[in-house]
Amino acid sequence: MYPAICTPFTGDGAVDLEAQRRVVRFALDAGAHGIVAFGLAGEVLKLSGDERRSLTDVIIDEVAGAVPVFVGAGAPSVRASIELARHAEQAGASCVVLPAPLGGATHGDALVDYFARIASAVSLPLMIQDAPAYLGVKLGPEVVRQVGALAENVRLVKLEAGPAELSEWILRLGDEFAMWVGDGGVYLLDCIRSGAAGVIPGIDLVDYLVRVYEAETGGESALADERFREILPVLVFEVQDSIDHFNACAKRVLVQRRVLEEPSLRAPAAALGDVSRALLDRHLASLALDASGVRVD
């Protein structure tokens, strides 16, 4: 369970480095097995390169070697992605995460070249993220296979997919690649039971999700089902709409858990409406959360 952490901002839209440290500490206290920075849940498309480098240094410093840190290096160009990936490596990251390019050509040969060139620029493992619903570019297993043939450090894949698509990828790629899933953790148990190597959910309720995961991997499947049913309505509500909706929900929860003081997304972004806030609060009312941000058993 490697949560994709959010990026906190002040009320005027500046990056809040101290709040970022609190988010990292919350993840560690919640039992996360690793941390992922600069995914879509981190509003990565709204961050400058300098901000990402500064945040990388802060996150890795705060983790202090306690768990692995995966750092996203997606950018509009190969050059920009390489710069971000090399900085992550120098800062002490454990893995670079790379989605489809955020601009330029997106056909098969260009995609293979993009991933292979960035992978060859670092010695870290590189995880390819396939997120067509969010980025508008579908990679598919064959692109990943071709990249892996050119770059030995590409053996990790993150899908925004449920167990049916996950199973197809596993069938196509075999044991050579480790498949991870995201989608806010909404398919957590089905995907783990279908062969996923790990899950990258959001950060706001990661302590609940760790408990589900550890019950399942500890052989207590009935307990895992029971714990997952408790949290599933919140997850479904959070992932129902856009990335902005998901991120706004997560930050609202973190404010309630006293991890964040400010729930703002960086503009332009749609805030949660009155109906959404009321429904989210209704779902959260059934969960036992204390004021310190630690789950009450």
Side-chain angles (χ1 to χ4, degrees):
M1 297 296 298
Y2 283 45
I5 60 175
C6 66
T7 302
F9 300 105
T10 61
D12 62 0
V15 169
D16 189 335
L17 295 178
E18 183 51 42
Q20 187 71 89
R21 289 185 181 274
R22 291 199 302 273
V23 171
V24 170
R25 291 196 295 270
F26 171 73
L28 297 177
D29 290 345
H33 307 122
I35 286 174
V36 178
F38 313 125
L40 294 173
E43 299 179 69
V44 63
L45 302 180
K46 299 174 183 176
L47 297 172
S48 70
D50 286 344
E51 287 174 329
R52 290 169 69 172
R53 285 183 281 272
S54 177
L55 284 161
T56 296
D57 294 343
V58 164
I59 291 164
I60 291 175
D61 178 70
E62 192 64 34
V63 169
V67 297
V69 179
F70 289 13
V71 175
S77 70
V78 169
R79 181 185 180 89
S81 287
I82 286 175
E83 290 175 354
L84 291 168
R86 284 177 171 166
H87 181 86
E89 182 170 35
Q90 292 164 4
S94 302
C95 177
V96 170
V97 183
L98 203 60
L102 307 180
T106 55
H107 58 79
D109 291 343
L111 288 172
V112 171
D113 179 69
Y114 171 78
F115 289 114
R117 288 173 64 185
I118 297 165
S120 68
V122 294
S123 60
L124 292 178
L126 188 143
M127 170 184 277
I128 292 180
Q129 179 184 13
D130 190 26
Y134 303 108
L135 298 176
V137 179
K138 185 170 180 61
L139 303 177
E142 189 53 35
V143 166
V144 174
R145 185 193 306 280
Q146 291 179 44
V147 176
L150 297 172
E152 293 184 357
N153 56 333
V154 177
R155 293 295 182 270
L156 301 173
V157 181
K158 183 200 176 191
L159 302 178
E160 307 300 332
E165 186 173 349
L166 168 68
S167 298
E168 181 64 22
W169 276 74
I170 291 174
L171 182 64
R172 296 278 298 278
L173 292 179
D175 296 336
E176 188 178 357
F177 292 84
M179 310 302 302
W180 293 53
V181 294
D183 275 321
V186 73
Y187 305 117
L188 189 161
L189 280 179
D190 284 346
C191 284
I192 291 298
R193 291 165 180 171
S194 300
V199 181
I200 301 176
I203 178 62
D204 53 317
L205 296 166
V206 68
D207 45 348
Y208 282 82
L209 298 175
V210 166
R211 285 162 50 87
V212 172
Y213 177 88
E214 292 187 342
E216 174 65 21
T217 56
E220 298 182 275
S221 291
L223 178 59
D225 285 329
E226 178 183 339
R227 289 176 171 172
F228 195 52
R229 280 193 294 270
E230 181 183 28
I231 194 68
L232 186 57
V234 183
L235 303 182
V236 171
F237 180 82
E238 289 184 338
V239 302
Q240 69 174 308
D241 197 359
S242 64
I243 287 295
D244 275 355
H245 175 85
F246 179 86
N247 292 338
C249 287
K251 286 187 173 181
R252 182 172 177 83
V253 175
L254 290 174
V255 168
Q256 291 192 25
R257 306 194 75 180
R258 307 290 178 87
V259 179
L260 294 181
E261 296 176 356
E262 173 59 57
S264 297
L265 306 186
R266 179 171 270 184
L272 288 180
D274 292 342
V275 170
S276 290
R277 289 196 300 271
L279 289 171
L280 177 61
D281 291 347
R282 183 183 180 90
H283 288 306
L284 292 172
S286 65
L287 304 179
L289 305 175
D290 77 0
S292 67
V294 178
R295 188 188 192 285
V296 178
D297 292 322

